[in-house]
């Protein structure tokens, strides 16, 4: 400050970058004028002031002003800055790439000269006691220790973590041991056995089934011992269950060596046999997508492992894993989230490229979705199919997105198996200690093409000529062990022969291998069954009127001392009146009664999505907020003493991750009503991969049931292209083989029964509901308690019960679903039309053939039309027309085809002009009610 010229350029730049004002700095150094003298020290510089007491800013003693003393202090500060630089950037100079293609960076901040040291200073002692565990070291010793710790085969990124204790934990965990674990001879032999199993298994399959896709782990074998370490260390730290998700690469090896799926089972699948036992239906899946579960013992502990099946879509399984973990944590009452752990493996290109990764990191520590941290393992083989890393991402590492989520990242050279296992151990400890996400980025290579039929040298000739010369990870480890005299070459060969022998024996056994049972409907699902025929699916959903009144009263009962918003008070008053009169139950009250009744029966009701607590349309008010304290009051949690929980989680602004999460939750917990609500139905296409690859197809592919409910606000109300259509047609197009239910209920009671039916049946199927918007407040869209009372149930088809509209006097039957019914109903009434019947399809899939046939039979000779609000190429029309036609031809009347009434074909789902909307809507109603 006093004499900047005395510093070299580097230091001058450094201080001027700090932008400190000189007078403020001197004041800070001097401290308060009234402070006791001993407080006016320069402050503790990592123990320096302990060592050299009474260093004061303004009045150093003569001795303290001596050049040697000054140099000692400056050296210390410089050295500490150097140390800090290695903590921050040491990973850039770490030896991570087994192929040596990626050049380590000679980063200027890692050069001691950047801190004013010169070569001749290397031998000089620098005071940094208690740092790096070194006592009175020379500069050279400091550098050596820094390089060992931060620039070996492990590179650690942790200085971005804002929590000092987490940062400190990692620092201490790695610095004290120079970032190395010393393995016992037995430990080393075990690592070699694992590498040998992994390598020999792939080689064996390669020889027996050359060119057959297996997405081998060749080049990334260290994954196997590393995973084992996570499980073993995890079991010591309280983990009882693990849910794993992973992509194609190395899956067979993980199935065999981590999940212990018998070699014979895998080989049998290579022989073209199904993985499903005889007599079990299902369309199955390719072998590198299959899941399995197992109980595996580590020392005296047993862990239950489940590897989720997954589709090809990379990273799509990630949120599903999180949801499964969360549901299991609840089942085990693992409130600390230490007993159930999620491990997700990734490819480097997928981790960097797929947005779902970012979505999952974003939800990882949000109240309704946290799971206590996922362990991410990136098998970074430095290529994605044929694409180089520089074309895969803009950031240095594939893992960089995780830094924003404050996750520590351990980069490691996969050819150093000990280092890989070492970081797996630390990552597990960190997760158990702090319960947050952590990332292992294992650099390795892919020995063959993307799959075993691909020629990689078409696109990466240099990399692949290097790989051809690269000894395997196992081979390198054998060399190391021999060098260390920890093992003889003969023993290493013996291990290979043992593994090969096992594979040969299992190869022979595979010819007669029979999968013994399909493991669906086990455990928590044991009380359920495969779905019965369509007729037997009504479900027992009615409640006694007393019960409904009791529930209704509980829902509207707000504590005296709760400061409710005046408008909500009115709404609650209106709801109270609904209960008292038993009439005019609106949509939200119908929903509350359904949710409340299920919770009252002991089920968990979990509702998740954007703004679901209040409801997008300010209709639900599942949480009431005290106007003075912002305390939440949840009526549905105050229904009865031993009720199940009702939880409504406002979710982050994500569709794919949240829907995937809830789907995962529903896979684990059959006795919960798990609902995801889209803000508007349109937005659900942001989660299309979850709908296509899981919700609609998983039961057939993987024999996994789910009772997830999707609530999709839908309806043409002039709000424009993006707030009208939930794309009903898309869901209907996915329907087949009784895979899910697609419904558009038109009354609160219908909705009530539909929700309750989800749990009051002996099987589970996903339920897609087009939910209303304007109907939420439509005075005609109401039910009475008796519609939910004894003798009632969900009606797939609602007949026309209007007075005077009956039998042969009816000349036209309008079939429709949802809101348009009310438009038609009102207009028909105002025109006093009696010869047109309105029949509602409340469920569109499974198509209600029986009920609809019965309905059509009532009106012989009448023409049949289908009326919808959606454009002709959208909505239900193309799905229902042939089905209605079949029914009509079965009935054998004159009318053989339904006629379409509605908007014409369109590119955009709805007009942006409110005026055109009104005109279009009027036109379609007019056309439907044209006099007959
Ligand atoms: C969402 C998605 N897009 C594209 C693909 C096709 N695909 C399969 S593997 C792969 C490369 C993945 O690279 P990386 O994540 O690095 O894993 P690796 O195959 O190298 O292990 C691609 C593009 C896919 N499976 N999923």
């Amino acid at each position: 400050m006093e004499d900047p010229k005395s510093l070299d350029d580097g230091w001058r730049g450094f201080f001027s970058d700090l932008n400190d004002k000189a007078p403020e700095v001197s004041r800070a150094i001097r401290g308060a004028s009234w402070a006791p003298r001993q407080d006016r020290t320069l402050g503790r510089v990592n123990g320096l002031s302990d060592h050299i007491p009474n260093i004061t800013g303004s009045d150093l003693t003569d001795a303290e002003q001596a050049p040697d003393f000054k140099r000692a202090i400056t050296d210390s500060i410089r050295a500490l800055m150097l140390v800090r630089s290695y903590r921050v950037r040491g990973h850039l100079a770490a030896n991570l790439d087994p192929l040596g293609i990626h050049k380590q960076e000679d980063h200027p901040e890692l050069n001691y000269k950047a801190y004013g040291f010169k070569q001749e200073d290397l031998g000089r002692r620098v005071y940094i006691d208690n740092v790096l565990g070194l006592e009175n070291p020379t500069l050279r010793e400091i550098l050596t220790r820094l390089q060992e710790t931060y620039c070996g085969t492990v590179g650690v990124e942790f200085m971005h973590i804002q929590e000092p204790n987490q940062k400190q934990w990692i620092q201490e965990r790695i610095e004290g041991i120079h970032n190395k674990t010393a393995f016992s001879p037995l430990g080393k032999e075990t690592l070699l056995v694992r590498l040998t199993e992994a390598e020999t298994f792939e080689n064996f399959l390669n020889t027996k089934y050359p060119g057959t896709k297996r997405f081998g782990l060749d080049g990334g074998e260290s994954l196997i011992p590393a995973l084992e370490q996570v499980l073993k260390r995890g079991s010591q730290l309280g983990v009882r269950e693990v849910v794993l998700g992973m992509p194609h690469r190395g899956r067979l090896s993980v199935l065999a060596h981590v999940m212990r799926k018998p070699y014979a089972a895998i080989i049998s699948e290579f022989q073209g046999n199904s993985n499903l036992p005889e007599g079990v239906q299902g369309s199955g899946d390719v072998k590198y997508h299959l899941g399995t579960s197992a109980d595996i013992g580590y020392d005296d502990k047993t862990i239950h492992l489940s590897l989720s099946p997954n589709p090809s879509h990379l990273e799509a399984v990630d949120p599903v894993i999180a949801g499964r973990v969360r549901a299991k944590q609840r089942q085990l009452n693992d409130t600390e989230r230490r007993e159930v752990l999620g491990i997700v493996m990734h490819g480097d290109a997928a981790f960097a490229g797929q947005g779902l990764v970012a979505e999952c990191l974003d939800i990882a520590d949000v109240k309704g979705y946290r799971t206590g941290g996922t362990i991410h393992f990136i098998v970074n083989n430095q290529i994605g199919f044929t694409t180089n890393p520089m074309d895969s991402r803009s950031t240095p590492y594939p893992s960089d997105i995780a830094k924003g989520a404050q996750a520590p990242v351990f980069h490691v050279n996969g050819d150093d198996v000990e280092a890989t296992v070492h970081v797996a151990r630390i990552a597990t400890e960190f997760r158990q200690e702090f319960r947050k996400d952590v990332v292992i980025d294992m650099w390795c290579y892919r020995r063959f093409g993307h799959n075993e039929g691909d020629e990689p040298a078409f696109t990466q000739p240099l990399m692949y000529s290097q790989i051809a010369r690269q000894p395997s990870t196992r081979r390198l480890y054998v060399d190391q062990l021999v060098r260390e005299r920890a093992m003889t070459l003969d023993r290493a060969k013996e291990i290979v022969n043992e593994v090969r022998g096992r594979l040969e024996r299992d190869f022979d056994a595979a010819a007669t291998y029979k999968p013994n049972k399909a493991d669906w409907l086990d455990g928590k699902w044991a009380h359920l069954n495969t779905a019965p025929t369509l007729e037997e699916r009504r479900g027992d959903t009615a409640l006694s009127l007393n019960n409904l009144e009791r529930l209704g009263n509980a829902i509207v009962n707000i504590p005296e001392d709760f400061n409710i918003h005046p408008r909500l008070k009115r709404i609650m008053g209106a709801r109270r009146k609904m209960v008292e009169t038993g009439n005019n139950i609106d949509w939200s009250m119908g929903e509350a009664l359904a949710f409340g009744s299920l919770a009252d029966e002991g089920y968990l009701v979990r509702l998740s999505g954007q703004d679901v607590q209040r409801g997008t349309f300010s209709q639900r008010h599942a949480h009431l907020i005290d106007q003075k304290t912002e305390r939440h009051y949840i009526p549905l949690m105050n229904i009865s003493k031993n009720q199940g929980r009702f939880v409504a989680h406002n979710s982050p602004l994500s569709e794919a991750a949240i829907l995937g999460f809830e789907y995962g939750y529903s896979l684990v917990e059959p006795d919960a009503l798990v609902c995801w609500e889209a803000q508007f139905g349109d937005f659900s296409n942001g989660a299309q991969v979850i709908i296509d690859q899981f919700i609609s197809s998983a039961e057939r592919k993987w024999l996994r049931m789910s009772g997830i409910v999707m609530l999709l606000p839908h309806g043409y109300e002039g709000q424009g292209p993006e707030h009208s259509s939930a794309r009903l047609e898309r869901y209907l197009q996915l329907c087949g083989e009784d895979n899910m239910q697609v419904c558009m209920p038109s009354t609160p009671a219908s909705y009530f029964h539909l929700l309750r039916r989800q749990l009051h049946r002996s099987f589970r199927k996903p339920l897609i509901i087009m939910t209303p918007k304007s109907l939420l407040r439509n005075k005609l869209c109401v039910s009475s308690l008796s519609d939910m009372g004894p003798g009632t149930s969900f009606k797939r088809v609602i007949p026309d019960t209007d007075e005077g509209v009956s039998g042969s006097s009816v000349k036209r039957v309008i079939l429709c679903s949802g809101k348009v019914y009310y438009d038609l109903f009102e207009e028909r009434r105002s025109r006093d039309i009696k010869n047109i019947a309105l029949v509602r399809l409340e469920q569109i899939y499974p198509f209600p053939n029986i009920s609809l046939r019965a309905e059509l039979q009532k009106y012989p000779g009448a023409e049949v039309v289908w009326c919808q609000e959606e454009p002709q190429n959208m909505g239900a029309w193309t799905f229902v027309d042939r089905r209605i036609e079949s029914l009509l031809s079965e009935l054998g009347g004159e009318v053989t085809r339904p006629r379409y009434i509605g908007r014409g074909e369109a590119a955009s789902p709805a007009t942006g002009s409110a005026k055109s909307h009104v005109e279009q809507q009027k036109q379609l109603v007019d056309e439907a009610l044209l006099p007959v």
Side-chain angles (χ1 to χ4, degrees):
M1 217 165 57
E2 284 164 10
D3 184 10
K5 284 203 206 72
S6 64
L7 295 174
D8 61 30
D9 284 351
W11 277 106
R12 261 207 309 281
F14 173 79
F15 283 116
S16 85
D17 282 350
L18 292 178
N19 256 340
D20 283 337
K21 304 270 172 306
E24 283 167 21
V25 174
S26 12
R27 225 175 300 128
I29 292 171
R30 242 181 276 118
S33 55
W34 40 264
R37 197 184 134 84
Q38 62 268 35
D39 282 357
R40 289 192 279 143
T41 62
L42 268 175
R44 292 165 62 96
V45 183
N46 280 293
L48 188 66
S49 58
D50 287 348
H51 209 67
I52 313 168
N54 294 328
I55 309 167
T56 55
S58 53
D59 42 10
L60 292 171
T61 63
D62 288 349
E64 285 163 354
Q65 291 199 22
D68 280 357
F69 184 80
K70 272 191 173 169
R71 194 172 71 179
I73 294 179
T74 348
D75 274 2
S76 279
I77 296 174
R78 288 168 169 172
L80 289 167
M81 289 173 64
L82 180 69
V83 170
R84 191 182 149 79
S85 263
Y86 270 82
R87 287 174 181 155
V88 176
R89 302 216 194 287
H91 56 89
L92 293 173
N95 165 21
L96 300 175
D97 179 8
L99 301 177
I101 295 171
H102 177 89
K103 292 285 166 257
Q104 290 140 255
E105 235 182 274
D106 208 3
H107 198 282
E109 289 173 20
L110 298 177
N111 189 332
Y112 62 93
K113 290 180 184 158
Y115 303 89
F117 289 118
K118 301 199 172 59
Q119 200 171 355
E120 55 265 32
D121 297 331
L122 285 171
R124 206 165 73 212
R125 300 212 172 274
V126 177
Y127 184 83
I128 59 160
D129 256 7
N130 299 330
V131 176
L132 300 169
L134 291 170
E135 269 181 49
N136 211 12
T138 60
L139 179 60
R140 182 177 286 114
E141 285 164 343
I142 293 173
L143 279 166
T144 307
R145 177 58 61 88
L146 286 173
Q147 270 154 8
E148 275 171 7
T149 308
Y150 289 107
C151 311
T153 45
V154 174
V156 189
E157 287 188 276
F158 69 107
M159 294 294 278
H160 56 281
I161 301 177
Q162 286 162 17
E163 291 291 328
N165 58 338
Q166 295 173 11
K167 212 171 61 174
Q168 189 73 18
W169 186 96
I170 293 182
Q171 200 170 293
E172 283 170 9
R173 183 70 180 81
I174 60 182
E175 287 185 354
I177 56 170
H178 322 185
N179 212 357
K180 253 197 165 62
T181 295
F183 288 87
S184 67
L186 178 64
K188 285 173 188 267
E189 171 151 338
T190 309
L191 294 189
L192 183 66
V193 171
R194 294 292 168 264
L195 285 182
T196 310
E197 285 171 342
E199 181 181 310
T200 315
F201 173 73
E202 302 288 359
N203 286 345
F204 183 84
L205 292 175
N206 197 30
T207 322
K208 298 282 185 191
Y209 304 99
T212 305
K213 271 192 202 175
R214 63 189 153 84
F215 295 104
L217 188 56
D218 321 64
E221 289 90 347
S222 292
L223 170 71
I224 301 297
L227 278 179
E228 186 171 37
Q229 178 62 211
V230 172
L231 299 173
K232 191 169 174 173
R233 187 74 186 121
S235 74
Q236 293 163 353
L237 298 172
V239 174
R240 291 164 58 194
E241 286 213 30
V242 175
V243 186
L244 297 104
M246 71 175 301
H248 52 291
R249 176 97 35 227
R251 191 180 191 98
L252 298 180
S253 193
V254 169
L255 281 167
H257 304 119
V258 179
M259 309 299 297
R260 314 223 180 134
K261 178 169 175 173
Y263 285 149
I266 296 174
I267 295 168
S268 155
E269 287 161 22
F270 268 88
Q271 293 168 351
N273 300 319
S274 165
N275 64 305
L276 301 174
E278 266 170 40
V280 173
Q281 300 214 325
S283 54
D285 202 348
V286 292
K287 44 192 162 305
Y288 40 85
H289 288 167
L290 297 177
T292 189
S293 60
D295 289 309
I296 309 280
Y298 295 97
D299 303 327
D300 58 333
K301 308 273 193 325
T302 301
I303 296 197
H304 182 73
L305 303 180
S306 345
L307 173 66
S308 266
N310 62 274
S312 262
H313 294 59
L314 295 165
E315 309 295 349
V317 81
D318 304 5
V320 178
I321 300 296
R324 290 187 61 177
V325 169
R326 174 87 172 204
K328 280 175 183 274
Q329 288 174 339
R330 182 173 175 279
Q331 286 172 348
L332 292 184
N333 196 23
D334 176 17
T335 48
E336 298 262 301
R337 310 199 187 285
R338 281 200 173 90
E339 293 175 33
V340 187
L341 164 70
I343 304 177
V344 182
M345 284 153 263
H346 314 264
D348 48 318
F351 196 81
Q354 291 291 306
L356 253 175
V357 172
E359 287 192 29
C360 288
L361 289 165
D362 181 53
I363 71 172
D365 203 18
V366 173
K367 185 170 159 240
Y369 310 89
R370 62 167 68 109
T371 60
T374 299
I375 297 185
H376 299 276
F377 200 113
I378 304 176
V379 176
N380 178 356
N381 56 20
Q382 310 184 67
I383 192 164
F385 210 146
T386 66
T387 301
N388 288 322
M390 65 178 297
D391 295 321
S392 260
R393 56 180 191 262
S394 299
T395 59
Y397 296 109
S399 52
D400 286 307
I401 185 87
K403 283 164 73 180
Q406 303 277 306
V409 181
F410 296 92
H411 306 284
V412 63
N413 185 324
D415 258 358
D416 185 344
V417 63
E418 291 189 5
T420 310
V421 171
H422 160 79
V423 297
R425 185 182 180 89
I426 298 178
T428 312
E429 291 168 357
F430 182 88
R431 189 275 176 194
Q432 287 301 89
E433 178 72 23
F434 297 107
R435 267 121 346 116
K436 54 184 281 191
D437 282 32
V438 42
V439 180
I440 298 165
D441 169 32
M442 182 182 81
W443 290 50
C444 53
Y445 57 93
R446 189 188 71 195
R447 184 165 290 281
F448 302 108
H450 171 61
N451 64 58
E452 288 65 25
D454 269 354
E455 170 53 68
F458 286 157
T459 48
Q460 275 80 12
L462 298 183
M463 181 188 227
Y464 274 82
S465 71
Q466 172 61 37
I467 291 175
R469 291 193 295 274
Q470 187 85 1
S472 73
T473 310
R474 181 196 68 86
R475 181 72 234 184
L476 290 172
Y477 196 46
V478 170
D479 293 348
Q480 178 190 328
L481 294 183
V482 170
R483 238 181 4 255
E484 290 173 356
R485 295 182 192 285
M487 184 178 285
T488 63
L489 207 51
D490 284 346
R491 173 67 194 131
K493 282 187 187 143
E494 227 173 81
I495 297 175
V496 175
N497 289 335
E498 279 166 21
V499 177
R500 198 168 291 147
R502 248 192 292 148
L503 280 159
E504 290 289 357
R505 279 195 299 282
D506 279 34
F507 182 77
D508 294 339
T512 52
Y513 181 84
K514 291 261 172 295
N516 50 11
K517 74 182 188 72
D519 60 352
W520 71 331
L521 306 179
D522 274 357
K524 277 258 163 194
W525 293 76
H527 63 296
L528 294 169
N529 240 309
T530 47
T533 61
L534 294 173
E535 293 88 279
E536 297 158 23
R537 292 188 176 185
R538 199 169 292 273
D540 191 4
T541 56
L543 295 175
S544 74
L545 290 180
N546 278 348
N547 209 357
L548 284 163
E549 277 164 24
R550 177 179 61 85
L551 293 167
N553 282 323
I555 291 166
V556 298
N557 203 11
I558 311 300
E560 293 276 303
D561 64 344
F562 190 81
N563 300 295
I564 191 169
H565 189 282
R567 274 169 52 202
L568 282 179
K569 194 170 182 177
R570 277 209 305 282
I571 289 175
M572 286 298 153
R575 287 187 182 175
R576 179 179 297 280
K577 204 155 159 224
M578 296 173 200
V579 183
E580 281 165 5
T581 60
N583 282 324
N584 293 324
I585 308 279
D586 67 5
W587 198 271
S588 302
M589 189 60 181
E591 178 189 81
L593 287 166
F595 287 162
S597 62
L598 291 169
D600 184 54
E601 288 159 351
Y603 294 107
L604 166 71
V605 177
R606 184 182 157 93
L607 172 65
S608 154
Q610 292 151 30
D611 308 290
V612 294
Q613 293 178 351
R614 189 200 75 171
T616 297
F617 312 101
S618 203
Q619 83 282 17
R620 180 172 290 127
H621 303 292
H623 282 217
L624 301 172
I625 317 295
D626 188 294
Q627 295 299 301
K628 292 198 175 136
T629 62
E630 290 205 350
R631 178 165 70 95
H632 287 216
Y633 177 76
I634 308 167
L636 290 172
M637 274 300 284
N638 290 279
I639 286 177
S640 52
K641 206 157 147 242
N642 297 317
Q643 70 167 94
R645 282 175 66 76
F646 165 82
V647 289
H649 291 299
N650 282 350
S651 78
L653 215 166
S654 139
E655 282 78 29
I658 302 297
L659 180 59
F661 184 100
E662 302 307 335
Y663 170 76
Y665 202 106
S666 74
L667 284 179
V668 167
E669 185 49 88
D671 292 326
L673 185 75
V674 182
C675 307
W676 175 74
E677 183 172 68
Q679 186 108 69
F680 283 87
D682 326 47
F683 300 120
S684 68
N685 62 9
Q688 199 64 48
V689 62
I690 304 294
I691 298 160
D692 292 346
Q693 266 59 40
F694 293 93
I695 293 177
S696 63
S697 54
E699 186 181 325
R700 279 281 125 180
K701 291 191 290 191
W702 308 316
L703 304 181
R704 287 290 173 272
M705 276 187 185
S706 156
I708 187 148
V709 180
M710 291 177 65
L711 303 174
L712 307 176
H714 173 89
Y716 279 61
E717 281 135 10
Q719 291 194 59
E722 264 70 70
H723 294 92
S724 300
S725 173
R727 300 289 197 168
L728 171 63
E729 62 279 5
R730 294 247 173 87
Y731 293 92
L732 292 172
Q733 189 210 30
L734 292 173
C735 291
E737 295 190 285
D738 191 16
N739 57 343
M740 58 190 196
Q741 314 155 85
V742 179
C743 297
M744 178 134 56
S746 67
T747 72
S750 191
Y751 181 45
F752 167 91
H753 288 298
L754 194 49
L755 290 174
R756 284 181 51 73
R757 190 179 77 164
Q758 243 352 52
L759 294 184
H760 282 283
R761 291 190 300 193
S762 60
F763 62 95
R764 300 287 179 264
K765 292 274 176 198
L767 169 61
I768 319 297
I769 310 184
M770 303 290 126
T771 58
K773 295 171 294 170
S774 64
L775 291 191
L776 297 169
R777 295 186 172 78
N778 186 321
K779 292 278 174 276
L780 292 172
C781 181
V782 289
S783 300
S784 56
L785 282 186
S786 59
D787 296 329
M788 305 167 188
T792 61
S793 64
F794 176 69
K795 289 197 173 66
R796 295 172 237 191
V797 175
I798 302 186
D800 196 327
T801 52
D802 227 30
E803 229 171 284
V805 182
S806 64
S808 52
S809 65
V810 168
K811 298 290 177 237
R812 180 183 301 144
V813 182
I814 301 178
L815 303 177
C816 61
S817 283
K819 181 196 135 247
V820 74
Y821 165 79
Y822 292 96
D823 295 345
L824 294 165
F825 176 83
E826 275 192 284
E827 198 54 30
R828 183 181 70 170
R829 187 173 271 182
S830 82
R831 296 186 194 178
D832 197 27
I833 297 173
K834 297 287 181 199
N835 63 352
I836 297 179
L838 293 174
V839 175
R840 281 171 273 175
L841 254 71
E842 301 286 287
Q843 174 171 303
I844 307 172
Y845 188 83
F847 193 73
N849 281 304
I850 296 171
S851 338
L852 187 58
R853 186 190 305 117
E855 221 35 56
L856 292 173
Q857 239 163 357
K858 289 184 189 166
Y859 309 109
E863 77 158 325
V864 175
V865 303
W866 173 263
C867 180
Q868 67 177 31
E869 301 181 305
E870 302 86 353
Q872 190 166 6
N873 53 329
M874 301 176 195
W877 168 240
T878 53
F879 185 82
V880 297
D881 68 341
R882 289 300 159 91
R883 287 171 169 80
I884 299 170
E885 186 180 347
S886 302
L887 284 181
L888 289 171
S889 63
E890 266 176 49
L891 289 172
E894 278 166 43
V895 178
T896 54
R897 279 193 57 89
R899 187 160 65 85
Y900 172 80
I901 292 178
R903 290 176 169 83
E905 286 188 357
S908 165
T911 169
S913 142
K915 206 166 141 221
S916 318
H917 163 78
V918 173
E919 275 165 20
Q920 291 172 357
Q921 197 78 2
K922 182 172 174 309
Q923 202 179 341
L924 74 89
V925 170
D926 279 349
E927 198 185 333
L929 297 178
L930 214 65
V932 254

